[in-house]
Amino acid sequence: MSTAQLSQPGSYSVARKIKNAFLNIVTNPYNVIVVITIILLGYLIIMPLLDMITTTFELQRVDLRRFPNMTEGEFTLYYWNRLVFSNLSQALLYRPLLNSLCIAISVSVMSILLGSVIAWLMVRSDIPWKKFFSLAVIIPYMLPSWCKSMAWITVFKNSRIGGRIGFLAAMGIETPNWLAYGPIPIVLVLVIHYYAYAYLLVSAALGSVNSELEEMGEIAGANKRQILSKITMPLVLPAILSAVILTFSKAMGTFGVPAFLGMKVNFNTISTTLYQTIKNREATTGYAVAMILIGISSVFVFINQKAIGARKSFATIGGKGGRSTLIKLGPWKYMIMVMLLLLLVLGVMGPLLILVVDTFMLKPGLYTLSNFTFHYWAGAPNLSIYEGEPGVLHNPRFWMIFRNTIMLVVCTSVIASLVGQIIGYIISRTRGKLAGKFIEQLVFVPYLIPSIAFGAIYLSMFAVPRLGIPLPGGGTFHLIPSLYGTFTLMVLVSVVKHLPFSCRAGISNMLQIGVELEEAATIQGSSFLNRFRRIVLPLSKAGFVSGFMLIFISIMKELDLIVLIMTPTRATLPYMAFQYANQNQEPYSNVVAVILFAIVFITYMLLNIGGKADIAKSMGG
């Protein structure tokens, strides 16, 4: 140290403080993980989003003939004017948007009410057959929503639309058009599908509530209404609002159900319009439609954040155990049980059963033993049946697609679950801080982007190599490589799109691990890695398996996200079912749907028994 520095103790102290502060920041494991996470999420989420936004303001090559004085990539408002202010706006935007809003609001209200009531019955009441109901009520979540549309058509399709008639029409009951196609079937099918979200989230929240809180309120003189409004509701309100956001966003952006039940009667939603514009080589207009969808979803997320406030959950794994006292339903117990059973039989199991039976019927609508066949499952080619199309299991292409699907699902589920647990740990330990809030908002962005648009953006972004950096020894390193047609692109887009799910599962899991356990280890001198390995990972093992199951189910039934980036050699089972349905080969499509359900159901049961997987706990953020 020089004499001049010793003569200036103030400057020495400031420099030392700055140096120590800098070292403290860069050597803190939390900060390192946060920085790496933000960079990766920015690359995988923000860049595709910005690419989509800028594309809507750039003139595309296919439209150069409309503007001979302009060049490709030049700034233009043409696509937004065409979408919002032109003669086509009514058909392209306003009418589909109104249809989507009506469907999304109706589905959200009905799903939340139904799911919350069932969750309360399962968790807090003494309703009989809980073990059976707890499994039966999540069956809709294991099936793709478009499979339920196929089940609906199998039951309610009438002879006016044409093609294979439904079960009721075969029985001589001609269903009206409004029951066969259009908004009412779409809403009912989506409610049957999405009530599972509310059930899983609310049941997880209710299961974490210690009933001693309610009993203390009762001892203090509060009546049941006050206990419900002052104690129970504030504790489960974050779960209900999260369910509202999940349901509304999904219902706004869903494609399969409106495509099956709406497009044939010209009932278009914003998602089917988006699909049609991209299919008609008007991708830029489709991106503008997607931006409006994202804007609407963002408003709802903002409202959600304001409603929930800073406190979204609470730790339940600590030094004390929780206790739940069941509420007796009295004489209503068996009546409620019968009503719930009827709901599940008529709304879930009945259509599913008819869908399965339909795969064994050679001729549609003839439900006799003489019409029974295994042809659609394993039959050899027969020119008299669907132009020689062999049974699904007899088709070599099925086994290639089956292998593709398993590889994609397993790889994506493992990666997404692991990333979700790590990000969930960061968010849970930095909750209330700017970094935690930023990461939490960032990982939720993919959920706001419709799956079709998200797949199209990744296709556009990774179609050709970009942002090349010359290497000293020759050659070029591209920050954005060309991945079209690769398995890597399918895994990448699936992992990023499902980050909201995996991170929500990770947050839910980590929030239940009290920080006092890590603080005690820190006092004993344990390092960050040691704490994470010896405390966090063992306690989060069950949550990891549950998160894996959650992602496994979501990706196994995914269609919209990867339909645009799929190549013939990379096809998956949902795409195979969709192709069969588009070719009016419904029995084959139903066979693939049944196989999908069987894979998901068996995997869930194995993980539930062996790994204690519980997707309800993984969604309880």
Side-chain angles (χ1 to χ4, degrees), residues 336-467:
I336 294 174
M337 183 195 73
V338 171
M339 291 173 64
L340 185 58
L341 192 61
L342 284 175
L343 173 70
L344 293 174
V345 169
L346 296 178
V348 180
M349 297 178 185
L352 179 61
L353 181 62
I354 292 175
L355 188 75
V356 174
V357 171
D358 204 54
T359 63
F360 294 103
M361 296 293 109
L362 184 61
K363 295 180 181 178
L366 185 58
Y367 297 94
T368 61
L369 286 177
S370 60
N371 195 38
F372 185 87
T373 181
F374 283 108
H375 175 79
Y376 301 119
W377 283 84
N382 185 338
L383 290 177
S384 64
I385 303 174
Y386 285 99
E387 300 178 347
E389 180 69 23
V392 171
L393 300 179
H394 195 79
N395 191 339
R397 187 166 174 267
F398 166 79
W399 295 108
M400 181 198 72
I401 291 175
F402 179 82
R403 186 171 58 253
N404 290 344
T405 307
I406 296 300
M407 285 177 58
L408 175 66
V409 169
V410 172
C411 291
T412 306
S413 301
V414 170
I415 296 173
S417 302
L418 188 60
V419 173
Q421 295 297 315
I422 294 173
I423 294 179
Y425 177 79
I426 296 171
I427 294 174
S428 66
R429 296 304 183 259
T430 57
R431 180 156 277 194
K433 297 180 181 178
L434 181 61
K437 291 180 179 177
F438 181 68
I439 294 175
E440 190 171 7
Q441 297 296 329
L442 203 56
V443 297
F444 201 75
V445 171
Y447 201 88
L448 306 180
I449 304 176
S451 295
I452 291 179
F454 201 80
I457 292 303
Y458 264 63
L459 173 64
S460 173
M461 188 172 174
F462 291 101
V464 294
R466 300 185 187 184
L467 302 179

Side-chain angles (χ1 to χ4, degrees), residues 124 204-211 213-214 232 235-236 314 323-324:
R124 302 307 303 273
L206 283 172
S208 301
V209 176
N210 192 332
S211 62
L213 298 172
E214 297 171 334
T232 307
L235 292 173
V236 299
F314 37 85
R323 183 169 65 85
S324 179

